Amino acid sequence: MAKHPLTRIEISKEYLNFSAGHFTIFSSVARENLHGHNFRVRCVVTAGIGADGMTFDYVVLKRVLRELCDALDERMLLPELSPYLRIERGEGMVFACFDRERIPFLERDVLLLPLRNVTIEELAELLLARLRDRPELIGADVRGIELGVSSGLGQWAYSTWESE
């Protein structure tokens, strides 16, 4: 494939957000209290400019990002891969077992994520991986993606991918 001039497209829309509960786990005996955030998501894609003067139809990218946010919205996010948290299920409930605590949640409110901890660093990496798995961007001359997640004003974590 011939290389085209590169540009960076940033998508940072008001609707790219999700509200979710979580707690950060610091050690086998220390964790934050349960709380929530209005998380924000932004994405920068580096891609070649085609002969038509466009990189790709980034309306598709906006739609995919919105779907990724919607999947996390209004849920209690729990990490499945934490060495300090054990998840139990039963009778429509999910129990987050930490240290000597057994924290109950309705199963319908919980989203178990393949993460070690529910932090913006881990969420950025997860969302970037899920974005890259989507077939909608196949065929676009995408050379790099930077995906950011914010848990509050001025506090962002970014995960990046670059083609080889």
Side-chain angles (χ1 to χ4, degrees):
M1 174 183 338
K3 300 287 184 181
H4 298 284
L6 296 179
T7 191
R8 290 171 31 105
I9 304 284
E10 180 173 347
I11 306 297
S12 182
K13 296 290 192 177
E14 191 67 32
Y15 58 77
L16 294 179
N17 66 74
F18 59 97
S19 298
H22 85 117
F23 53 85
T24 300
I25 300 170
F26 299 111
S27 71
S28 63
V29 296
R31 70 169 180 88
E32 291 180 312
N33 288 335
L34 173 66
H35 65 283
H37 293 281
N38 293 316
F39 294 94
R40 305 230 353 118
V41 173
R42 70 169 52 142
C43 184
V44 177
V45 175
T46 302
I49 303 171
D52 60 0
M54 293 181 8
T55 53
F56 57 90
D57 182 0
Y58 50 91
V59 168
V60 172
L61 176 62
K62 292 187 282 189
R63 184 175 61 245
V64 170
L65 290 168
R66 185 176 204 156
E67 289 172 11
L68 293 174
C69 289
D70 288 350
L72 302 175
D73 196 34
E74 297 182 353
R75 305 299 290 272
M76 176 61 199
L77 306 179
L78 294 175
E80 289 181 302
L81 305 179
S82 171
Y84 306 123
L85 189 70
R86 192 177 78 257
I87 304 296
E88 295 177 357
R89 294 175 180 226
E91 299 180 25
M93 300 294 290
V94 172
F95 297 91
C97 301
F98 175 79
D99 193 22
R100 292 181 291 268
E101 301 171 328
R102 190 168 187 255
I103 310 160
F105 300 100
L106 291 174
E107 188 169 28
R108 60 171 265 176
D109 294 331
V110 171
L111 184 59
L112 298 174
L113 297 174
L115 305 175
R116 298 164 291 183
N117 215 339
V118 179
T119 60
I120 56 176
E121 301 94 288
E122 289 272 82
L123 289 169
E125 185 176 329
L126 175 71
L127 289 175
L128 176 61
R130 288 181 173 178
L131 176 63
R132 290 194 56 232
D133 283 345
R134 295 292 294 258
E136 291 93 331
L137 295 180
I138 293 175
D141 187 18
V142 174
R143 312 277 182 87
I145 302 173
E146 180 179 79
L147 190 138
V149 176
S150 169
S151 60
L153 194 58
Q155 185 168 304
W156 289 87
Y158 292 90
S159 187
T160 59
W161 167 84
E162 292 182 4
S163 66
E164 297 176 7

